[in-house]
Amino acid sequence: MKPREKKLALILGAVLGVFACGFGIRAVLIQPLREIDKRIASAREKLDKIQADRRAYFSAEERMKSHALRAFADGVDQASARSGEMLTRQILQSGLQEADFTRLPVGPRKLRGANEIGWSVQGDGPLADVLDLLFLLQESPYEHRIENLTVSTGEGPGLVKVRFRFLTLVLEPAPEVERKELVPKFTLESPERLLYNGVVARDILRPYIKRPPAPPPPGSPPGSVPTPGRPGAPPGPESFRVVSLSEWMGQQEIHVRDLTQQKTLRYRPGDQLAGGTVVCVDYRAMQLNSFLRSDSRVVLKIGNEYWAIERGKTLADKRKLSPAELPEQIAKAK
């Protein structure tokens, strides 16, 4: 082999040796270091996730405590009692009559992490007072929601009927908090309430009022029997409307509106009404015809027959019940 070829072989061998040493060093030192770097990066990601979860946990805990402070109570029964007491207090504070309003408990309905309870409220009164009630309930500092709100025409000028559901939450399990009495942010004298006075001024729900009948002619014989439609005529059954069929404290109530005196009368099972005796309130949904459906009615016994008056109808609209339409407790007793 020539000297030149020997030099080239030595140079090539040296280059190959350098590459071999490089790969060896990489396999022995660099590769383990890279594996260590990967494990460090993975540990940092896990640590960041743990810290993020920890921050989210404490943030959620603070939010739950803030909601717990606004809850009526930690138990369903206690929260139901306190919310019902608050409703009664707000009705009276608004200038409305407690007897003109019915409250039926709603729930409890199981949700994720809470129970939903509330009250189904309906009644009637002056429009301004009803607005006061809705304003006080909406601005209540307690955890709540008002849904299914309907306001319809009342039986006289300035009177309206209102119906809504007042719902609240009972957390489960409830975090331990130091509960205190909450004070509403606004009152009936606040400027925020005065913004609704335009609704009262317009009174767009006021029903049409017929012109009163003309007085009898001067030459009418004294002692003549008054006829319907003339002044002095006694009110007939069409002057009394069933406006509410509710249950309060386990006892059924029938509220009848006297359209002539503009007052509400209350009856219970066993009382006399429309020439018969009140038997019960039937809450079954019933299809009256192809278009009309009734959700509740008061059942009367007149003689040996049973009659029904649907909610919203007058006493003149009572109808005889067939044996198939009788409530189950009456059908079994016969």
Side-chain angles (χ1 to χ4, degrees), residues 96-135:
L96 297 164
Q97 299 295 323
E98 182 182 358
D100 293 340
F101 278 78
T102 59
R103 287 138 292 181
L104 295 177
V106 175
R109 184 168 70 98
K110 187 69 175 176
L111 303 175
R112 184 179 179 183
N115 282 301
E116 183 185 68
I117 63 171
W119 297 87
S120 179
V121 184
Q122 64 177 357
D124 54 13
L127 177 58
D129 295 342
V130 170
L131 282 176
D132 285 343
L133 173 62
L134 296 177
F135 179 80

Side-chain angles (χ1 to χ4, degrees), residues 18-19 40 75 80 96 180 231 247:
V18 170
F19 276 104
I40 292 174
S80 179
L96 297 164
K180 58 183 179 180
E247 184 175 336

Side-chain angles (χ1 to χ4, degrees), residues 34 37 46 134 269 299 321:
R34 289 183 177 178
D37 289 341
K46 292 180 180 179
L134 296 177
V299 179
L321 292 174

